[in-house]
Amino acid sequence: MAFEGLGERLQQTLQKIKGKGKVTEADVKEMMREVRFALIEADVNLKVVKEFVKKVSERAVGSDVMESLTPGQQVVKIVRDELAALMGGEAETITFAKKPPTVIMMVGLQGAGKTTTTGKLANLIRKKYNRKPLLAAADVYRPAAIQQLETIGKQLGMPVFQLGTEANPVDIAKQAIAKAKEDHHDVVFIDTAGRLQIDEDLMQELRDIHDEVKPDEVYLVVDAMTGQVAANVAETFDQQVGVTGVVLTKLDGDTRGGAALSIRSVTGKPIKFAGMGEKLDALEPFHPERMASRILGMGDVMSLIEKAQSNVDEQKAKELEQKFRDQSFTFDDFLEQLEQVKQMGPLDEILKMLPGAGKIKGIDNVKVDEKQMGRVEAVIKSMTTEEKSKPEIINSSRKKRIARGSGTSIQEVNRLLKQFDEMKKMMKQMSNMQQGKGKRKMKMPGLDSLFK
Amino acid sequence: MSFFKKLKEKMTGKPDETTEKYKDGLEKTRTSFTSKVNDLIARYRKVDEDFFEELEDLLLQADVGFETVMQLMDDLRFEVQRRNVKDTEGIQTAISEKLVDIYRKGEEGEGGLNMQEEGPTVILLVGVNGVGKTTTIGKLANRFIGEGKTVMLAAGDTFRAGAIDQLQVWGDRVGAEVIRQAENSDPAAVMYDAVRAAKNRKVDVLICDTAGRLQNKVNLMNELEKVHRVIGRELPGAPHETLLALDATTGQNALIQAETFKEATKVTGIVLTKLDGTAKGGIVLAIRNKLGIPVKFVGLGEGVEDLQPFDAERYVYGLFAEGLEQEAETLGGETPGEE
């Protein structure tokens, strides 16, 4: 896309500042212009952007920056910190009623993904909290909305309460709760009709349902791709029915998702979950920090900050480094890494975020095959525990079994084993070099592996 | 006006009556727009940087996007200098002209739909999840049937729960046959059946539904490409229109959507859905500016008849007006309800 990363842009500005050694007010102003641009392109509401930029500028022009050794990094750190602060702390949990059933009302605009999210959330609650949900179909307007919920209920093996399209949604909600008590369901989801924000009649209906059933949670379902209007939408729904949490859907797309920031900043309500795909288990807890860097959109910004901060997940990194060093890095660790990479978002997007990647010609056209990653995963998962920790024991008959088990070929298994081996060697060299730096004489990289 | 007239003539083939109706509506719309800009103008007597800044904010808040807005502001500043506009009175026309210019750039004969005289006209609807493809198909079908055409629908969304039923409800409602297979069947196979059926039964228009998909899902985009290909193989030249349904509440991601879907299915036009007054869908300006894809219809509400041919001028005014709903009402009673 034509979108030039905030990272690239800030980098350029930083270059100039680096030469000077001090950040002036004018420098900050210039950097803030880039920040403003990036946030608007990420669909953060203009008012929120303005407030944000003002706040950051005030902090950035302060003396701590001026006297800082690495002023540029300091500014970026402030941007990121403020953003993360705005996004809120870690995801909060679901409030269950002391006396069941817990009533969860799902609201949102048309097409945000309420019905699908209802199914996903019910699935998650059943799995994680061991509850027994009942789904109530209160969208009597959209053609086949009830069928959609019923199909989802069937897929999940969960009962769906409905009274057809002629019934009053308030009655449906009321009777669903009665039914839940009767059948000992401890959670009731009320899937309401989607609406255009300005539709007063439907808003009234939502208020009526709310007043009648007094839900424990009201979840606003918002499409992550929503533009400037997201702030308005969230505000209106919050005023009308008192939103308790937000579910951001379609976050598996390639949107930057600035809507999350707008909603959070305007309503102060936590974003609790993120929809990450079309399958009914594709719902994850929302991670504010991850979202902050996604909105900024740039890996190199993050790496800059990490240099300035360098305490992000230090424990884990240390463990990993130790593993590299004594070569105890196993396929299990590898799989974990793979999972982490996958959670960061679509691979080709991540690729573009890498520092300097934007300069590589044709990077826009790179499409990383997510399937290939799946195959690698399958190969690893087809190994026994022993094989994972000691890949050297994998002989040809084991290879044959792994290939069969993972639906791949021996060639693919071989390739992975070879890559893994090379990776391990490289890691060891790198960590040796780092360790040796400054303390003792530099070892020649790879020398020791020659004698093994 | 001439732009609209042209568009309308192309759309319906019967200029007189409808255009008159629209003209009346537009008159009121213009007044409403004027009042909005007047508001801005009243506060700023002079055309200065503050004025430009506020205008810029207005456009950014409509999701027009940074780059297009910047380009527009540059153009406007130039125009203001060239015409030596000093007070805000004179700038009104310049603003709307520039906006419509950006939209109309390079447009020749793209306003209407590519309808076939002989044999079925095939229209393919594509887009991400939840933008209102199925609903749009219902409204389109209703429109064509209202024009005396026979319509057939193809239930190509075999993935989402309830999608086939949803299309069937629309089919029954407007009186169009629905070609369908079981859920989870191959959408390309549904299209194959549908195109053959449309040819055999000699319907005028075949409208094909597809499952919503996020544009970064490579496999699903490949599937869509196949659907497009199969239609073209069964009926050379088809689909005659590939319409991308775009949710007016969508932000900058819409640009990527348009680009990717265009690559996969040669999108010929956009249907801007859920344009309800708060969501302005300003991103279509950027899409038009960068990718050249025209908007062909706008969906203004939930009623069967709430699908209107797009009018750039009216739309541009709407960017400034607070309630597009109001304007929809002024359309000579073409929209039901009185919100």
Side-chain angles (χ1 to χ4, degrees):
Chain A
M1 250 357 266
F3 183 82
E4 193 186 352
L6 173 64
E8 295 286 314
R9 289 165 159 267
L10 276 183
Q11 201 86 288
Q12 286 164 18
T13 323
L14 282 173
Q15 288 297 326
K16 282 184 245 159
I17 295 166
K18 231 192 233 162
K20 284 193 227 158
K22 254 194 173 186
V23 185
T24 64
E25 213 172 314
D27 292 333
V28 171
K29 210 174 164 193
E30 198 170 332
M31 285 171 79
M32 288 309 127
R33 259 189 41 207
E34 305 298 347
V35 173
R36 180 168 180 261
F37 170 83
L39 293 177
I40 288 172
E41 286 297 293
D43 292 324
V44 180
N45 184 275
L46 188 65
K47 285 192 193 114
V48 178
V49 172
K50 283 186 164 170
E51 260 167 54
F52 180 79
V53 166
K54 195 167 156 238
K55 208 156 145 206
V56 173
S57 305
E58 273 164 16
R59 265 190 70 185
V61 185
S63 59
D64 55 328
V65 176
M66 300 305 191
E67 285 155 23
S68 149
L69 279 173
T70 52
Q73 288 177 5
Q74 192 79 17
V75 173
V76 178
K77 182 180 175 312
I78 293 170
V79 170
R80 199 257 176 192
D81 283 355
E82 285 291 329
L83 207 55
L86 245 181
M87 297 294 294
E90 271 301 328
E92 290 160 60
T93 47
I94 301 164
T95 316
F96 289 103
K98 288 200 183 74
K99 195 168 159 271
T102 301
V103 179
I104 301 178
M105 195 170 153
M106 308 293 286
V107 301
L109 296 184
Q110 291 166 341
K114 277 176 303 304
T115 307
T116 307
T117 305
T118 301
K120 286 178 178 178
L121 205 54
N123 188 27
L124 182 129
I125 279 182
R126 182 172 62 182
K127 254 197 215 155
K128 200 169 159 191
Y129 299 93
N130 212 9
R131 306 275 164 156
K132 198 178 150 204
L134 174 71
L135 312 178
D139 180 358
V140 295
Y141 305 102
R142 182 165 60 96
I146 296 174
Q147 279 103 311
Q148 187 184 357
L149 196 66
E150 282 197 317
T151 308
I152 288 172
K154 219 180 280 162
Q155 283 168 10
L156 292 171
M158 243 177 237
V160 173
F161 182 83
Q162 62 125 326
L163 295 173
T165 53
E166 298 300 321
N168 179 342
V170 181
D171 290 338
I172 297 174
K174 206 161 78 181
Q175 291 190 34
I177 291 168
K179 174 85 176 155
K181 282 181 187 155
E182 205 181 296
D183 295 354
H184 305 291
H185 289 283
D186 45 14
V187 181
V188 181
F189 281 94
I190 301 172
D191 179 28
T192 66
R195 50 211 75 217
L196 298 170
Q197 192 191 350
I198 48 161
D199 192 328
E200 190 38 49
D201 289 350
L202 279 170
M203 276 295 178
Q204 183 59 47
E205 182 189 294
L206 271 193
R207 280 196 296 269
D208 291 345
I209 295 177
H210 188 273
D211 291 349
E212 178 64 41
V213 306
K214 308 241 163 15
D216 302 282
E217 295 270 20
V218 179
Y219 284 151
L220 174 66
V221 181
V222 184
D223 187 329
M225 295 180 283
T226 312
Q228 293 286 322
V229 79
N232 265 325
V233 170
E235 206 171 17
T236 310
F237 273 99
D238 193 27
Q239 280 164 2
Q240 299 291 336
V241 289
V243 170
T244 63
V246 177
V247 183
L248 213 56
T249 61
K250 306 175 205 174
L251 208 54
D252 50 330
D254 51 11
T255 177
R256 295 215 181 283
L261 188 66
S262 310
I263 293 168
R264 174 75 204 191
S265 146
V266 166
T267 64
K269 296 293 151 66
I271 296 167
K272 298 200 173 185
F273 299 97
M276 299 298 292
E278 302 193 32
K279 302 259 159 62
L280 287 172
D281 56 1
L283 189 75
E284 294 176 8
F286 178 75
H287 298 286
E289 310 80 38
R290 227 178 264 167
M291 198 64 214
S293 33
R294 177 168 174 164
I295 290 172
L296 284 174
M298 295 301 128
D300 46 350
V301 173
M302 293 313 293
S303 68
L304 270 176
I305 294 151
E306 253 139 45
K307 264 187 227 150
Q309 252 180 338
S310 73
N311 58 357
V312 187
D313 243 282
E314 214 164 358
Q315 192 57 37
K316 264 221 159 134
K318 261 192 188 143
E319 271 174 39
L320 202 64
E321 202 191 324
Q322 190 55 42
K323 279 182 174 162
F324 285 152
R325 198 166 299 148
D326 50 29
Q327 294 234 16
S328 62
F329 185 72
T330 66
F331 268 116
D332 277 316
D333 300 315
F334 187 63
L335 206 57
E336 198 178 306
Q337 293 287 306
L338 217 59
E339 284 301 325
Q340 275 180 16
V341 171
K342 261 172 48 184
Q343 274 173 16
M344 281 163 71
L347 263 182
D348 35 358
E349 281 296 302
I350 298 172
L351 207 65
K352 276 181 224 163
M353 290 177 195
L354 292 178
K359 292 195 189 94
I360 302 169
K361 258 195 193 152
I363 190 99
D364 277 352
N365 304 322
V366 174
K367 289 267 187 305
V368 174
D369 193 358
E370 306 263 341
K371 242 188 188 165
Q372 188 55 36
M373 263 175 84
R375 298 172 90 99
V376 167
E377 242 181 289
V379 170
I380 299 176
K381 282 181 175 159
S382 299
M383 295 177 184
T384 64
T385 318
E386 205 190 355
E387 285 166 351
K388 274 187 236 172
S389 51
K390 280 187 265 168
E392 55 276 9
I393 66 167
I394 300 176
N395 56 24
S396 63
S397 94
R398 281 176 191 265
K399 278 179 198 165
K400 230 185 259 170
R401 194 205 72 243
I402 293 169
R404 227 178 314 130
S406 58
T408 56
S409 62
I410 293 184
Q411 284 85 345
E412 268 175 285
V413 176
N414 271 333
R415 201 182 315 140
L416 179 66
L417 286 172
K418 200 171 160 225
Q419 278 169 353
F420 184 71
D421 205 41
E422 274 167 9
M423 195 171 103
K424 254 166 92 172
K425 274 186 203 149
M426 212 168 70
M427 296 293 185
K428 188 170 157 89
Q429 285 168 16
M430 273 163 58
S431 58
N432 276 343
M433 271 167 68
Q434 262 187 350
Q435 198 183 33
K437 204 157 63 178
K439 287 183 195 152
R440 38 193 152 115
K441 245 168 73 185
M442 269 272 250
K443 259 191 197 170
M444 198 190 286
L447 196 66
D448 48 353
S449 55
L450 256 178
F451 297 107
K452 270 183 185 158
Chain B
M1 280 311 277
S2 65
F3 164 70
F4 159 71
K5 224 181 217 164
K6 248 181 12 205
L7 180 71
K8 195 74 191 176
E9 278 167 29
K10 262 183 250 158
M11 277 308 308
T12 59
K14 34 179 187 181
D16 303 322
E17 188 190 331
T18 357
T19 314
E20 280 311 310
K21 224 198 253 175
Y22 217 130
K23 222 176 185 175
D24 290 348
L26 207 62
E27 215 56 60
K28 285 184 215 155
T29 312
R30 186 160 280 166
T31 328
S32 130
F33 166 71
T34 312
S35 74
K36 284 293 159 199
V37 176
N38 275 350
D39 225 38
L40 187 66
I41 284 164
R43 263 176 299 147
Y44 295 96
R45 284 277 169 75
K46 272 195 286 185
V47 179
D48 54 10
E49 270 313 298
D50 285 347
F51 176 83
F52 277 123
E53 218 163 272
E54 185 150 349
L55 189 60
E56 186 183 312
D57 284 0
L58 270 174
L59 291 168
L60 285 176
Q61 274 165 337
D63 288 316
V64 177
F66 210 82
E67 260 180 73
T68 306
V69 170
M70 288 307 133
Q71 185 191 331
L72 198 79
M73 296 319 282
D74 286 349
D75 286 359
L76 256 180
R77 285 197 178 93
F78 178 77
E79 199 66 15
V80 163
Q81 241 174 14
R82 193 177 65 91
R83 295 193 202 170
N84 199 17
V85 180
K86 288 242 165 53
D87 53 19
T88 44
E89 301 250 319
I91 199 167
Q92 203 168 313
T93 33
I95 296 170
S96 48
E97 270 175 33
K98 273 292 148 206
L99 277 167
V100 175
D101 263 9
I102 280 218
Y103 182 79
R104 270 203 230 156
K105 199 178 66 179
E107 173 179 4
E108 262 335 306
E110 286 178 4
L113 292 177
N114 174 21
M115 302 302 285
Q116 303 301 298
E117 304 262 315
E118 302 264 319
T121 301
V122 182
I123 300 174
L124 180 68
L125 258 287
V126 299
V128 301
N129 317 64
V131 288
K133 282 178 295 300
T134 310
T135 308
T136 299
I137 288 174
K139 293 181 187 175
L140 269 178
N142 182 63
R143 204 181 170 83
F144 288 128
I145 288 169
E147 288 168 13
K149 296 189 172 76
T150 50
V151 177
M152 182 182 272
L153 308 178
D157 183 354
T158 56
F159 181 80
R160 182 172 61 89
I164 299 173
D165 292 327
Q166 190 182 348
L167 194 71
Q168 185 71 59
V169 171
W170 273 108
D172 295 344
R173 198 182 282 175
V174 300
E177 187 182 352
V178 178
I179 302 295
R180 55 187 284 180
Q181 289 183 11
E183 257 181 41
N184 295 320
S185 52
D186 180 5
V190 178
M191 296 307 165
Y192 177 86
D193 280 0
V195 175
R196 300 217 133 191
K199 280 197 291 193
N200 288 340
R201 278 165 242 183
K202 300 199 166 41
V203 295
D204 298 321
V205 187
L206 169 68
I207 313 177
C208 308
D209 195 10
T210 61
R213 61 204 75 215
L214 295 176
Q215 71 276 10
N216 61 337
K217 310 272 161 144
V218 176
N219 290 344
L220 292 179
M221 292 310 282
N222 288 343
E223 178 195 271
L224 195 61
E225 227 177 315
K226 184 180 166 194
V227 163
H228 189 266
R229 207 169 50 232
V230 165
I231 293 173
R233 203 171 55 210
E234 284 315 301
L235 184 67
H240 307 96
E241 289 281 354
T242 302
L243 299 179
L244 173 70
L246 203 68
D247 186 328
T249 60
T250 308
Q252 303 306 305
N253 191 252
L255 195 57
I256 309 177
Q257 284 174 26
E259 196 178 29
T260 320
F261 275 99
K262 189 184 177 190
E263 232 170 72
T265 58
K266 304 183 184 65
V267 171
T268 56
I270 286 171
V271 181
L272 191 61
T273 62
K274 307 184 205 171
L275 199 63
D276 75 337
T278 32
K280 310 221 190 295
I283 191 65
V284 296
L285 279 179
I287 291 174
R288 179 69 176 159
N289 191 24
K290 287 192 176 167
L291 303 172
I293 307 173
V295 181
K296 300 213 166 173
F297 290 97
V298 291
L300 296 159
E302 292 168 59
V304 169
E305 285 166 17
D306 294 346
L307 192 74
Q308 302 282 338
F310 179 72
D311 170 13
E313 287 187 24
R314 194 163 65 86
Y315 172 75
V316 161
Y317 301 155
L319 283 179
F320 296 94
E322 252 175 22
L324 245 173
E325 197 85 340
Q326 266 177 312
E327 290 175 40
E329 249 175 62
T330 64
L331 274 179
E334 278 187 43
T335 37
E338 22 178 272
E339 293 99 314

